[in-house]
Amino acid sequence: MLSALFISLLVFSCLSLVQAAKVKCPTCNGAGEVECLECEGTGFIGDVETVECSRCSGTGQGKPNLFMSTMTASKMASTTDVNAVYINREDSEITATITASLEGHSVTSEETTFPPGQEVTVALSIPFTTYYSGTVLLTKVQMTVNADEITCSSCDGTGVVEEGTVCSECDGTGMITCLDCGGSGYVTEGAVVANTKGDGLDWGLIGTVTAVVVAGVFVGVAGFVFVKKRRVSESSLRRLSSSDFQQWVLKRLDGKPGSSKDTALGIDGFSRLNLPISIKQTDAVGMNAIDLFAASLARNRATGGIMVAFGFADDAIRGKVRARTNYRLNIEMMTVRELIEGRTSSF
Ligand SMILES: [Zn+2]
Ligand SMILES: [Zn+2]
Ligand SMILES: [Zn+2]
């Protein structure tokens, strides 16, 4: 088996030399990336701690993250009709039923499939009606997601994660782009032949390249087996300068920074889907801050925005409700902990 692998790689290497006039880059074994020198491939700078995964409390299993982004409730003649939009914040498909209940009366949806990162609207008609209406009715309707537990995506089911100051050079991956091949994994035959000062194919070189490739395969396998989820710790993020912190948040959200004009209006950047983002490197962000953000969003004619903070005060939810009532704005409150755990795909 091992020699078969070796021979097939040898044949493959020869073919790529002769036909494509390209060989695997000997520096990175064709991988296109090499170990990061800054952190020696560990992905971390300084101390690393293995801690219990906060999302699943170390069980490795958890309820899938099906997030309700908006909801409406209407009082009909004999029913209360609910429309709720859910976003699957996991990387894989979720199957679930949704239950809507109002003062002891409830209705459950059919089994519904939620593809990752997509919005799915669930419409339910509760066979009951009350004298409540509008926003009050909205607060009286209880929504429940019924789904089987899945493998925790924050820790890949291991129950533990490594926390520390993540290396900014490689973003915690431990690998950086190979400079010798520009990340392509290949160098042209001419370049290699020139190095060996010979004409045509150098069989000794092919053997060397192949051996390196085989070694690379085993390093790759070992690396795959032992890889553990890495993440930045909240405490190291608190210590960052405010511009570095903003940069980290924007990178996590796959976003881009705002212009100086945007910043003056309280918008620090924009998400992948172009939602304005306000970034606070503080705890207990409350209603006032959300009111201000909502007002500048309204001035910019945005439909919504994302507020990122270490934590939110109890009255923050009132700011969110007011933004919806006053400006029809949907403000997403996102904690740094959520960003660390990677719940960002749908923004
Ligand atoms: Zn976990
Ligand atoms: Zn590194
Ligand atoms: Zn290379």
Side-chain angles (χ1 to χ4, degrees), residues 52-61 151-161 231:
E52 189 182 272
C53 173
S54 59
R55 188 169 166 204
C56 63
S57 307
T59 60
Q61 295 273 307
T151 302
C152 174
S153 54
S154 290
C155 62
D156 278 345
T158 58
V160 290
V161 290
R231 68 185 191 196

Side-chain angles (χ1 to χ4, degrees), residues 96-219:
T97 62
I98 308 289
T99 301
S101 50
L102 176 62
E103 301 191 327
H105 301 261
S106 68
V107 63
T108 297
S109 73
E110 308 247 288
E111 195 127 277
T112 309
T113 303
F114 298 88
Q118 281 183 36
E119 292 193 339
V120 175
T121 305
V122 178
L124 290 166
S125 194
I126 307 169
F128 178 68
T129 187
T130 63
Y131 54 86
Y132 301 119
S133 62
T135 326
V136 183
L137 180 62
L138 214 52
T139 62
K140 298 280 175 191
V141 176
Q142 300 282 318
M143 302 296 285
T144 320
V145 172
N146 319 294
D148 290 337
E149 293 203 335
I150 57 168
T151 302
C152 174
S153 54
S154 290
C155 62
D156 278 345
T158 58
V160 290
V161 290
E162 289 184 333
E163 275 195 358
T165 305
V166 171
C167 171
S168 58
E169 201 63 41
C170 61
D171 201 25
T173 60
M175 302 296 280
I176 53 166
T177 305
C178 171
L179 290 176
D180 288 353
C181 61
S184 68
Y186 290 93
V187 287
T188 59
E189 184 194 346
V192 175
V193 170
N195 283 342
T196 59
K197 297 184 184 80
D199 295 327
L201 297 178
D202 183 328
W203 287 94
L205 174 73
I206 294 166
T208 312
V209 171
T210 309
V212 171
V213 169
V214 171
V217 167
F218 289 117
V219 169

Side-chain angles (χ1 to χ4, degrees), residues 230-248:
R230 288 175 178 146
R231 68 185 191 196
V232 65
S233 68
E234 262 190 74
S235 55
S236 74
L237 290 170
R238 283 177 199 277
R239 288 195 301 269
L240 289 181
S241 72
S242 73
S243 66
D244 283 353
F245 178 68
Q246 288 194 2
Q247 227 174 31
W248 181 84

